[in-house]
Amino acid sequence: MKIRFALTLLAVMTVAGCKPPAPPVNDDTLVSSTVNGVTLVHRHAVSAPGEFTPVNEPYRALYDASVMTTPDYGGKVVRYLENGKPCQVRGKVENEWLAIAEPDDTQLIGYVPMKAGVPSDRYEQTLRNDRPRPRRASKQVCVDVGGA
């Protein structure tokens, strides 16, 4: 009887020490990666960059841009960045791309080309400089051909 009780107690203690299995990893699972000494939190679907230079500034979109899972056009589109909408640029990454997050957030949502955004404090100036300028009336140059 004592042996049966001891074996039962041993079995219960063995099973009680087991950890439940980890939840399955899907595209929405949050992961963290450390690149160049900076820890980035992002969804599993978004690849960690190979190079990272911190910026941490508010930017605004200059045009409707695709937010990609990798810092190149070979990735998948995660969402779209709307023209004029703010975003937080976490840093510059390889291939001249920006790693972006939601405004006032640190979670990396994806990558956009560097030309897709401009720092918020330079947005209005950039738009003014990008407007077409009226052409000046050009001077006419007459050429004398055959005496006429």
Side-chain angles (χ1 to χ4, degrees):
M1 183 77 161
K2 290 183 181 181
I3 294 177
R4 179 182 275 171
F5 179 73
L7 289 176
T8 305
L9 185 61
L10 180 63
V12 168
M13 289 177 60
T14 303
V15 172
C18 294
K19 292 182 180 178
V25 175
N26 60 27
D27 285 349
D28 292 327
T29 303
L30 291 179
V31 295
S32 62
S33 305
T34 302
V35 182
N36 294 352
V38 178
T39 301
L40 302 171
V41 177
H42 53 92
R43 291 179 38 233
H44 185 265
V46 177
S47 302
E51 293 293 321
F52 186 83
T53 305
V55 173
N56 293 321
E57 288 185 24
Y59 270 54
R60 286 183 64 187
L62 289 174
Y63 57 85
D64 293 340
S66 299
V67 180
M68 309 296 284
T69 58
T70 59
D72 58 34
Y73 292 107
K76 294 180 181 177
V77 176
V78 176
R79 65 172 75 174
Y80 296 96
L81 190 60
E82 295 179 36
N83 183 14
K85 296 292 180 176
C87 67
Q88 183 73 17
V89 171
R90 294 289 322 271
K92 295 179 181 180
V93 297
E94 65 267 13
N95 301 329
E96 300 291 316
W97 283 59
L98 299 172
I100 65 168
E102 291 289 342
D104 302 321
D105 194 6
T106 59
Q107 180 181 328
L108 179 68
I109 59 171
Y111 307 95
V112 294
M114 194 169 294
K115 293 180 181 180
V118 66
S120 293
D121 57 348
R122 291 190 0 221
Y123 180 74
E124 296 295 330
Q125 177 187 358
T126 303
L127 290 182
R128 277 193 301 272
N129 291 342
D130 196 36
R131 291 185 183 145
R133 293 179 181 84
R135 292 185 179 184
R136 295 181 188 175
S138 61
K139 296 179 183 177
Q140 286 187 341
V141 178
C142 297
V143 179
D144 184 15
V145 178

